[in-house]
Each structure stands twice: as C-alpha cells, then as structure tokens.
Amino acid sequence: MSDTGYAVVAILVTAAVTWSLRALPFAALAPLRASTTVRYLSTRMPAGVMVILAVYCLRDLRVTDARALAPLIALAVTVGLHLWRRNALLSILAGTAVHVALASTVFTG
C-alpha cells in the first residue's frame, strides 16, 4: 500500500473510532433516562463530589498554621454563599477568588 493510501486509511479508521466513542455514551444514555437510580444519583452526586474534593484538598491542612486560614475562610465563604444564593457557579468562583486573594496577599507566611 502506498504512503498516501496508508495515511487515508489511518485517518478514516481514526475518524470512525473517534465518532464511535463520542456517539456511544448517547446511545447508552437513552435507556438510562427513565431509571430512578440514575435520577437519584444525578441529584446527589454533585454535592457528594464537592464534599470529597473539599476533604481531599484539606486533608493535610494544619489548623494551627497561619496559612490554613486562607483555605478555611474560602471554604466558609463558598459554603455560606451557596447556602444563601443556591448558585454553584457563583459560590465556587467567589470561594476561589477569596482563596487566591488571601493566599497571595495576607497569609503568605
């Protein structure tokens, strides 16, 4: 096979595999839309994932260290803002901004 033919076949195979891998989740998702388990998980998982991420990020934090105040204050801002406004994007962005501002200026220790 010539180099051009080989390249064309390789591109076609790559395109077919890429298209299949992108279409497969949609084909598998159709029967799951009516599932009560999937509906339950879709309401509970976002909060669970956020709790796991917060615990993972704060697991080695020494509360007695002055540098621990920046993430703890940012966590309090994020949780408080989310409970007040019920807007995940707003609370995550505000908490991130507070953490960056405090960690880079006040608590550089």
Side-chain angles (χ1 to χ4, degrees):
M1 185 183 297
S2 68
D3 287 341
T4 305
Y6 182 79
V8 169
V9 169
I11 290 171
L12 289 174
V13 168
T14 303
V17 168
T18 301
W19 184 85
S20 300
L21 289 175
R22 290 181 183 219
L24 183 64
F26 293 103
L29 185 64
L32 294 177
R33 289 192 193 273
S35 170
T36 57
T37 304
V38 172
R39 203 171 308 122
Y40 174 79
L41 289 175
S42 71
T43 60
R44 301 291 185 228
M45 277 191 69
V49 169
M50 294 308 288
V51 167
I52 290 170
L53 286 173
V55 169
Y56 177 77
C57 290
L58 300 174
R59 75 184 188 281
D60 294 329
L61 193 64
R62 291 194 181 118
V63 187
T64 57
D65 190 8
R67 293 172 50 163
L69 286 176
L72 293 175
I73 292 170
L75 178 64
V77 166
T78 303
V79 170
L81 193 57
H82 186 72
L83 291 174
W84 177 47
R85 301 299 292 176
R86 297 282 185 208
N87 186 334
L89 182 62
L90 175 66
S91 59
I92 290 170
L93 288 176
T96 302
V98 167
H99 181 265
V100 169
L102 291 176
S104 64
T105 58
V106 180
F107 302 108
T108 57

